[in-house]
Amino acid sequence: MHKASVVIIGAGPAGLCAAIEAAKAGAKVLVLDENLKPGGQLFKQIHKFFGSKEHKAGTRGYEIGVELLKEAEVLNIDVWLNTEVCGIDKEKNIWAVRNGKDAVHIAAERIILATGAIENAVAFPGWTLPGVMGAGAAQTMINIHRVLPGKRVVMLGSGNVGVIVSYQLMQAGADVSAIVEASPTLGGYGVHTAKVRRAGVPFYTSHSISKVIGKEKVEAVEIVALDQQWRPINGTKKVLEADTICLAAGLSPLTELAWIAGCQFHYIPELGGHLPIHNRYMETTAAGIYVAGDITGIEEASTAMEEGMLAGINAAASLGFYSQKEKEQLSAIVWDRLDALRCGYFGQKRKTAKERMISVGKKVIG
Amino acid sequence: MIQGALKTTGAPSLEELKKSPAFPRAEDYQIGPIAVIECIEEIPCNPCETSCPKGSISIGKPITNLPRIDFNRCSGCGICVAACPGLAIYIKDYTYSQDEALVTFPYEYIPLPEPGDTVILVNRQGQEICEGLVKKVNSAKAFQQTTLVSVSYPKQHFEEVVNMKRR
């Protein structure tokens, strides 16, 4: 049986920031991640981040990843990669499988779940053909493995993921034939849509993919216009040339471990569905278990990092590394930065949804 | 909910831009090279403000405020062009010469153009407008891999041109 005071599950932006804060406070930290490399999705984020200086704005995602890993190394944070967590019991004992073969048990005093999210799939005739993939998968191929998935791409979904990955596919040398959006208005930041529009990419709003054309692989894609109830309109089908279709239809929080750990859930559709209830200290209803990042609701790496810090500070404080006063002060500083990210046209909805969760958390947890 | 050109076509219309506080009026272009900020949505972001060495761009708090710019203090240096994570700023110089204007825009595709190259310039919808002559290609380290490309082009297309066609 291994022992650690704070075990963090997930070495993405939220998990790494949680680890750094907990270690800075003096806790013995162990980070577990099922992947072969730490950093979560940061290393494929080759674009500059938004926000202000405190949020590392203007820095490219992968450079933030490098900075976080350096900080973790200086703090002697233990990171176990290729380690899949399979179970958490009521005493906070973790059962994990290392390198696909060795079962290990870790006794944790505190656990922070920073497991992230998974891309949503969209089903249409031909969606299982080679060449149809998640936008995040295409982004991993081009920016991590440096493999171009295709030459002509049709993107389904105009949220920030859809438009950012479209831009990066062009940077990698592909052409983007179109970005198809079921809603009548585009989802992503205007600065992102403007960037791909001036590169000549057309947007099809109120459209969806009706089928993929091709026997062995994607050869073309048929799109169709949608009416106000999002039903296909007869006679509006159109064929676009494509060898790759990317799906950017949102993400769902990876909450399995929170269910296993016995956390209570609350349903907030704007944030991605059923989410573990947490308070403003990122504490869940399961004693000693904290959450941070996309598992608490789909947002961005910038907010995930802040939430990670909150969870790290408060997990450490609950072990006695900070006084009540220090914990409140440190948390308030992070909350100011979080509030700054969650305002304006795009942030307000998430802010309101998050406030709902925090008020439920306050009632249930305190 | 915003329902204009930006949210339906992807690119802002001139009408939408003119309503935003930082977009230059015709007389502002008479000063010399100035930064044109095409940022009309309230997103949490302020590197333009913090990067400007002259303090000519202001956002303040909350950081979702739209940027404002004092054109009398803007020298058109281009630092904000590389700093903007949205690639939403370029420099335009109406006073460049008798017949030609100069545009300096952010460019993150390869291959990069070289000074002396003739390139095709495009408008906000990606339509080809005219040819231009590359004057300068600046990949300074501080720009963090956003290259600034300066291109001269006929003044008659002054307003439409915003970037170049990807090669």
Side-chain angles (χ1 to χ4, degrees), chain A residues 271-290:
Chain A
L271 291 173
H274 292 280
L275 304 166
I277 295 172
H278 65 84
N279 60 13
R280 72 189 299 269
Y281 309 110
M282 307 315 288
E283 230 174 334
T284 69
T285 58
I289 297 186
Y290 296 74

Side-chain angles (χ1 to χ4, degrees), chain A residues 153-176:
Chain A
V153 184
V154 168
M155 179 69 63
L156 181 65
S158 71
N160 278 337
V161 172
V163 281
I164 289 173
V165 175
S166 293
Y167 179 63
Q168 293 176 357
L169 280 161
M170 290 191 283
Q171 288 182 299
D175 284 321
V176 177

Side-chain angles (χ1 to χ4, degrees), chain B residues 41-151:
Chain B
E41 260 177 0
E42 296 180 333
I43 57 175
C45 194
N46 70 0
C48 55
E49 176 182 39
T50 50
S51 70
C52 178
K54 307 228 168 189
S56 67
I57 305 176
S58 52
I59 286 182
K61 278 187 178 178
I63 58 167
T64 43
N65 287 342
L66 293 181
R68 292 174 179 276
I69 179 164
D70 179 353
F71 289 114
N72 292 313
R73 276 196 281 172
C74 173
S75 65
C77 70
I79 289 175
C80 60
V81 177
C84 171
L87 270 61
I89 310 179
Y90 51 84
I91 306 293
K92 263 186 187 170
D93 185 3
Y94 190 76
T95 65
Y96 183 66
S97 78
Q98 186 73 35
D99 310 313
E100 288 185 313
L102 190 79
V103 61
T104 300
F105 50 78
Y107 194 75
E108 296 185 331
Y109 299 108
I110 46 169
L112 285 174
E114 281 176 30
D117 285 358
T118 297
V119 294
I120 296 166
L121 296 172
V122 296
N123 65 7
R124 296 179 184 85
Q125 288 73 40
Q127 290 160 326
E128 299 177 11
I129 299 300
C130 61
E131 284 189 339
L133 185 64
V134 178
K135 293 289 181 184
K136 193 175 172 190
V137 177
N138 188 350
S139 305
K141 195 160 182 263
F143 294 169
Q144 294 188 70
Q145 301 186 62
T146 302
T147 297
L148 266 51
V149 179
S150 302
V151 183

Side-chain angles (χ1 to χ4, degrees), chain A residues 4-9 28 30 32 94 106-108 110-112:
Chain A
S5 44
V6 180
V7 176
I8 292 151
I9 303 172
K28 183 176 182 288
L30 171 65
L32 310 175
I94 296 168
I106 305 150
R110 299 289 181 271
I111 296 174
I112 299 172

Side-chain angles (χ1 to χ4, degrees), chain A residues 234-274:
Chain A
N234 278 336
T236 61
K237 281 176 182 164
K238 191 179 186 123
V239 174
L240 304 175
E241 215 185 297
D243 57 14
T244 305
I245 296 167
C246 289
L247 308 177
L251 297 146
S252 292
L254 284 169
T255 56
E256 296 92 331
L257 289 176
W259 287 107
I260 289 174
C263 298
Q264 282 179 48
F265 276 66
H266 187 65
Y267 183 67
I268 300 187
E270 309 92 286
L271 291 173
H274 292 280

Side-chain angles (χ1 to χ4, degrees), chain A residues 55-362:
Chain A
H55 308 112
K56 302 183 195 288
T59 310
R60 295 183 189 273
Y62 68 90
E63 286 166 332
I64 295 176
V66 170
E67 281 174 29
L68 293 180
L69 291 185
K70 250 189 230 159
E71 241 180 294
E73 205 187 316
V74 171
L75 290 162
N76 283 316
I77 292 169
D78 225 351
V79 183
W80 291 3
L81 300 169
N82 202 1
T83 301
E84 210 170 336
V85 175
C86 307
I88 299 169
D89 73 12
K90 287 207 162 55
E91 276 72 50
K92 293 187 289 296
N93 294 309
I94 296 168
W95 165 41
V97 175
R98 296 193 73 182
N99 306 313
K101 51 182 171 38
D102 305 319
V104 289
H105 288 93
I106 305 150
E109 289 178 70
R110 299 289 181 271
I111 296 174
I112 299 172
L113 301 173
T115 47
I118 189 167
E119 296 193 272
N120 296 333
V122 183
F124 40 75
W127 74 300
T128 57
L129 279 174
V132 183
M133 65 188 74
Q139 196 185 29
T140 302
M141 286 176 77
I142 53 176
N143 296 346
I144 303 283
H145 303 295
R146 306 202 173 210
V147 173
L148 200 57
K151 292 269 183 204
R152 288 192 77 82
V153 184
V154 168
M155 179 69 63
L156 181 65
S158 71
N160 278 337
V161 172
V163 281
I164 289 173
V165 175
S166 293
Y167 179 63
Q168 293 176 357
L169 280 161
M170 290 191 283
Q171 288 182 299
D175 284 321
V176 177
S177 311
I179 300 178
V180 179
E181 169 60 57
S183 153
T185 51
L186 303 174
Y189 284 175
V191 289
H192 287 314
T193 60
K195 195 165 64 179
V196 294
R197 185 76 188 104
R198 66 176 176 256
V201 179
F203 285 95
Y204 289 91
T205 53
S206 294
H207 273 76
S208 192
I209 292 177
S210 43
K211 71 171 181 188
V212 183
I213 298 163
K215 276 213 172 93
E216 304 279 315
K217 57 181 169 57
V218 176
E219 286 163 25
V221 54
E222 186 190 84
I223 63 168
V224 64
L226 305 178
D227 67 16
Q228 284 178 342
Q229 277 76 48
W230 295 34
R231 289 172 310 210
I233 303 171
N234 278 336
T236 61
K237 281 176 182 164
K238 191 179 186 123
V239 174
L240 304 175
E241 215 185 297
D243 57 14
T244 305
I245 296 167
C246 289
L247 308 177
L251 297 146
S252 292
L254 284 169
T255 56
E256 296 92 331
L257 289 176
W259 287 107
I260 289 174
C263 298
Q264 282 179 48
F265 276 66
H266 187 65
Y267 183 67
I268 300 187
E270 309 92 286
L271 291 173
H274 292 280
L275 304 166
I277 295 172
H278 65 84
N279 60 13
R280 72 189 299 269
Y281 309 110
M282 307 315 288
E283 230 174 334
T284 69
T285 58
I289 297 186
Y290 296 74
V291 283
D294 275 353
I295 186 177
T296 72
I298 304 300
E299 290 189 276
E300 294 154 355
S302 330
T303 43
M305 291 190 281
E306 302 295 351
E307 283 195 349
M309 288 183 220
L310 266 182
I313 289 164
N314 285 289
S318 74
L319 291 167
F321 289 101
Y322 289 126
S323 69
Q324 182 69 22
K325 196 178 157 198
E326 284 170 325
K327 159 189 149 160
E328 292 295 346
Q329 276 172 348
L330 292 168
S331 300
I333 295 168
V334 183
W335 269 107
D336 279 348
R337 291 198 301 262
L338 265 174
D339 286 339
L341 288 172
R342 290 174 183 151
C343 58
Y345 168 70
F346 287 89
Q348 194 54 50
K349 198 167 101 181
R350 284 185 279 129
K351 185 168 195 235
T352 316
K354 281 280 177 184
E355 279 166 359
R356 241 156 66 219
M357 175 60 92
I358 304 287
S359 75
V360 172
K362 194 177 175 190

